[in-house]
Amino acid sequence: MIKLLSLSLILLCVVGCTTQSTRYKWGNYSDGLYHYYQEPAEHSKIRARLVTHIENLEKQEAVVPPGLYAEVGTYFLEAGDSTSAVIYYQKEYEAWPESRDFMSALITNLQGRTNSGP
């Protein structure tokens, strides 16, 4: 009886570990992030893949993982496209209340730079 109970407990633990799923669909974010920093020539391709991933999540009405909008916004900002950066920062602001203070500061700063000119 004890052997059967032990075997059942072990099987339950193994099955429980193998059926875990993640809460968010990150796509290949971590690989892309690694390549983004390792291969500067690939920045536009990596950014485009992330944008496509976000668009697909939005079409599926799935939750975009926290920070992903902001990350893409930063990629656009690094490429010199502050207008697109603000759009993604606003999406992060709307999707994740925890990031509102930081996103608000970034948006205000970027809009101030755009409005004041060079």
Side-chain angles (χ1 to χ4, degrees), residues 42-110:
E42 299 291 313
H43 283 189
S44 62
K45 289 180 185 176
I46 295 164
R47 184 178 60 244
R49 277 189 233 131
L50 256 180
V51 168
T52 301
H53 178 64
I54 287 173
E55 288 171 350
N56 288 337
L57 289 174
E58 290 172 339
K59 286 177 190 172
Q60 298 168 11
E61 297 183 6
V63 176
V64 174
L68 205 54
Y69 285 127
E71 187 79 29
V72 172
T74 301
Y75 290 171
F76 277 113
L77 186 60
E78 289 176 346
D81 186 353
S82 60
T83 303
S84 294
V86 168
I87 290 169
Y88 279 92
Y89 290 157
Q90 287 172 333
K91 288 182 176 192
E92 182 76 18
Y93 177 94
E94 293 166 7
W96 297 100
E98 300 87 349
S99 67
R100 286 190 177 156
D101 291 338
F102 184 55
M103 291 298 108
S104 180
L106 288 174
I107 292 165
T108 301
N109 186 342
L110 287 174

Side-chain angles (χ1 to χ4, degrees), residues 15-40:
V15 170
C17 293
T18 60
T19 59
Q20 291 180 351
S21 64
T22 60
R23 183 177 188 146
Y24 304 109
K25 296 178 182 176
W26 290 92
N28 62 352
Y29 170 74
S30 59
D31 290 336
L33 182 64
Y34 175 79
H35 290 296
Y36 187 84
Y37 289 108
Q38 296 298 317
E39 301 173 26

